């Protein structure tokens, strides 16, 4: 018989850390609100959520790694990278994505990727609580699901 494992979304008793970039905080504030709302609606106590600000998305990987070494069960990385007129955007996006993945794989804890990579501020705002949902909430749900998968294995 096939054994199928799927994570449920029960945050009771779980501890979360949110690493959040201050750059484009108009957007990242909304991603944080979405993440906290998703966590608390799935049973996570507000006292079990820690929010840690860093300057920009480039700084997210190391703080995610530091947070993975704390008592947090999972980490949620939130940022908003918006393309400018140079290649700076590509470096920030690529390194943030790779570094956040590394923090997860190296620590063995879920570190979810709630970093928007957009062409315009309008696109970012659409994904931060308006017509394209809230990617902070999506990242929170991914972290919850991964915790359940980890527990089930
Ligand atoms: N950081 C972001 O989070 N979003 C951006 O759009 C962005 N842009 O476009 O420059 C950005 N740059 C700052 C970077 O993340 C670092 O904080 C900075 O380079 C210092 O290390």
């Amino acid at each position: 018989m096939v054994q199928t494992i799927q994570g449920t979304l029960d945050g009771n008793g779980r501890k979360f850390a949110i690493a959040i970039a201050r750059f484009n905080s108009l957007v990242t504030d909304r991603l944080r609100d979405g993440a906290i709302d998703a966590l608390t609606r799935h049973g996570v106590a507000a006292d079990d959520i820690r929010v840690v600000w860093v300057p920009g998305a480039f700084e997210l990987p190391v703080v995610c790694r530091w947070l993975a070494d704390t008592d947090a069960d999972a980490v949620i990385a939130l940022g908003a990278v918006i393309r400018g007129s140079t290649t700076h955007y590509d470096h920030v996006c690529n390194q943030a994505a790779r570094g956040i993945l590394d923090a997860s794989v190296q620590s063995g804890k879920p570190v979810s990727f709630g970093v928007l990579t957009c062409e315009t501020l309008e696109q970012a705002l659409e994904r931060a609580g308006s017509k394209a949902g809230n990617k902070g909430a999506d990242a929170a749900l991914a972290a919850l699901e991964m915790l359940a998968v980890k527990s089930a294995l």
Side-chain angles (χ1 to χ4, degrees):
M1 188 158 127
V2 175
Q3 189 193 8
T4 302
I5 292 171
Q6 282 200 92
T8 53
L9 299 175
D10 179 9
N12 251 295
R14 301 290 202 180
K15 290 183 190 300
F16 284 83
I18 296 175
I20 179 168
R22 191 174 297 106
F23 208 106
N24 293 320
S25 64
L26 177 69
V27 178
T28 61
D29 273 342
R30 295 171 192 209
L31 296 175
R32 175 208 52 201
D33 291 347
I36 291 174
D37 180 61
L39 292 176
T40 54
R41 282 190 296 107
H42 287 84
V44 182
D47 285 346
D48 288 334
I49 304 171
R50 184 143 78 136
V51 176
V52 180
W53 288 91
V54 296
F58 192 78
E59 281 72 37
L60 287 171
V62 73
V63 79
C64 286
R65 188 67 183 88
W66 293 337
L67 287 167
D69 285 340
T70 70
D71 66 349
D73 296 301
V75 181
I76 299 161
L78 301 178
V81 193
I82 300 174
R83 192 185 288 281
S85 52
T86 69
T87 59
H88 189 75
Y89 166 96
D90 301 286
H91 297 294
V92 174
C93 291
N94 293 337
Q95 298 311 321
R98 180 56 201 240
I100 290 165
L101 177 65
D102 284 349
S104 189
V105 173
Q106 287 168 8
S107 67
K109 288 188 179 179
V111 181
S112 59
F113 185 70
V115 179
L116 298 176
T117 56
C118 297
E119 300 296 312
T120 65
L121 177 61
E122 187 187 4
Q123 284 178 353
L125 287 169
E126 280 174 8
R127 290 158 179 76
S130 59
K131 67 184 178 192
N134 187 311
K135 299 300 174 196
D138 292 350
L141 297 179
L144 276 167
E145 184 172 344
M146 287 300 288
L147 277 179
V149 169
K150 191 179 175 195
S151 294
L153 294 178

